[in-house]
Amino acid sequence: MVRLTLDLIAKNSNLKPRKEETTSRYLKKITHINFSDKNIDAIEDLSPCKNLSVLYLYDNRISQMTNLNYATNLTHLYLQNNCLSCIENLRSLKKLEKLYLGGNYIAVIEGLEGLEGLRELHVESQRLPLGEKLLFDPRTLHSLADLEFLLNKLMKLWRMDLNGNPVCLKPKYRDRLILVSKSLEFLDGKEIKNMERQFLINWKASKDAKKISKKRNSKTKDASNSY
């Protein structure tokens, strides 16, 4: 087992402590930690790293998101290609802007409600059992409807990648997400151009107007038949 500990961070940091500087003061100065592809399987308490903003832990063997809720200044979190099966302990990360979780074993996208500053969400290519689909909390809704619900809450999200997940095969998947999110600029690596969004907005407005007109005509017809 290889655990990400404060001792390990101190020994491998590019930032060297000054002479007679205490370990706690030294750890406070660290802003970036890179332990990608180091066979890390667990994260210990990182709370002394109070200024930590970028954490690279991709290509490891981490199975649980532990002790990350103390890293309240974190803005970038890279956890792609690990052994994660759920999203947890992130709600206190109010400053988190970019979250990379692709290539894990996550079946349900949840626990993102507190991430008010989230701008990029990457959950592409989850390694799920054959026939199992990526779902979005609450589980009672269909995955695309869940995703629309989630996007309404993440108002700063501008980039999202869901490539390789079954939700991408849903009818009008891209159109529906573009319509529900005003902030989204890139979806699955493809730019959302203003012309595309405006076309969809106009198309929906026209469709809605036709529905309203149809209802009015139906009511008028029913009223005339009642006399």
Side-chain angles (χ1 to χ4, degrees):
M1 290 180 66
V2 182
R3 304 178 71 87
L4 181 62
T5 64
L6 294 175
D7 285 342
L8 191 62
I9 291 168
K11 287 176 183 176
N12 290 272
S13 176
N14 291 327
L15 189 66
K16 298 302 177 186
R18 295 176 182 173
K19 192 177 181 181
E20 297 181 358
E21 185 176 33
T22 62
T23 302
S24 60
R25 180 170 289 187
Y26 163 64
L27 290 170
K28 277 183 185 178
K29 295 193 303 184
I30 294 175
T31 58
H32 290 60
I33 292 176
N34 189 346
F35 278 88
S36 55
D37 197 17
K38 300 291 185 185
N39 288 319
I40 302 289
D41 51 24
I43 307 167
E44 292 200 352
D45 184 5
L46 303 181
S47 54
C49 303
K50 297 191 181 298
N51 288 304
L52 180 63
S53 59
V54 180
L55 180 56
Y56 296 95
L57 289 173
Y58 58 86
D59 295 338
N60 280 299
R61 297 187 294 184
I62 299 166
S63 59
Q64 286 185 302
M65 296 182 184
T66 54
N67 295 312
L68 290 174
N69 50 322
Y70 297 111
T72 53
N73 284 310
L74 211 58
T75 60
H76 295 60
L77 179 56
Y78 298 82
L79 281 168
Q80 61 269 45
N81 301 324
N82 273 282
C83 302
L84 298 166
S85 58
C86 66
I87 303 171
E88 57 188 344
N89 300 321
L90 298 181
R91 298 190 183 204
S92 61
L93 305 186
K94 307 292 185 185
K95 296 181 181 180
L96 193 66
E97 296 179 5
K98 298 184 181 183
L99 178 57
Y100 290 79
L101 296 171
N104 278 285
Y105 299 86
I106 298 168
V108 181
I109 305 301
E110 58 189 341
L112 301 178
E113 294 82 3
L115 306 186
E116 299 166 358
L118 193 64
R119 293 168 56 81
E120 292 189 26
L121 175 62
H122 300 260
V123 289
E124 72 282 359
S125 305
Q126 295 301 316
R127 293 173 279 181
L128 301 177
L130 190 64
E132 189 171 333
K133 296 181 178 180
L134 184 70
L135 300 176
F136 294 81
D137 186 52
R139 299 186 192 196
T140 51
L141 300 177
H142 293 298
S143 57
L144 188 51
D146 289 342
L147 187 48
E148 290 172 336
F149 175 78
L150 177 68
L151 284 176
N152 272 320
K153 291 194 166 191
L154 303 176
M155 302 182 71
K156 293 184 179 179
L157 189 72
W158 73 285
R159 184 188 294 269
M160 183 165 66
D161 194 339
L162 293 166
N163 267 319
N165 291 303
V167 69
C168 303
L169 304 177
K170 295 276 186 179
K172 298 193 181 298
Y173 150 78
R174 181 177 172 86
D175 294 352
R176 287 174 63 177
L177 295 192
I178 291 172
L179 282 168
V180 80
S181 174
K182 293 178 181 178
S183 62
L184 210 57
E185 296 179 20
F186 285 85
L187 178 59
D188 301 336
K190 185 179 177 182
E191 184 180 2
I192 299 170
K193 296 186 182 296
N194 288 334
M195 187 180 294
E196 180 183 10
R197 178 174 271 120
Q198 195 57 52
F199 171 82
L200 290 171
I201 291 171
N202 294 340
W203 170 79
K204 188 176 184 301
S206 175
K207 191 177 178 182
D208 291 345
K210 285 179 182 177
K211 281 184 181 178
I212 293 169
S213 178
K214 191 175 181 180
K215 281 184 181 179
R216 284 177 180 168
N217 291 337
S218 179
K219 285 181 180 179
T220 304
K221 189 176 180 180
D222 290 342
S224 62
N225 289 337
S226 64
Y227 288 104

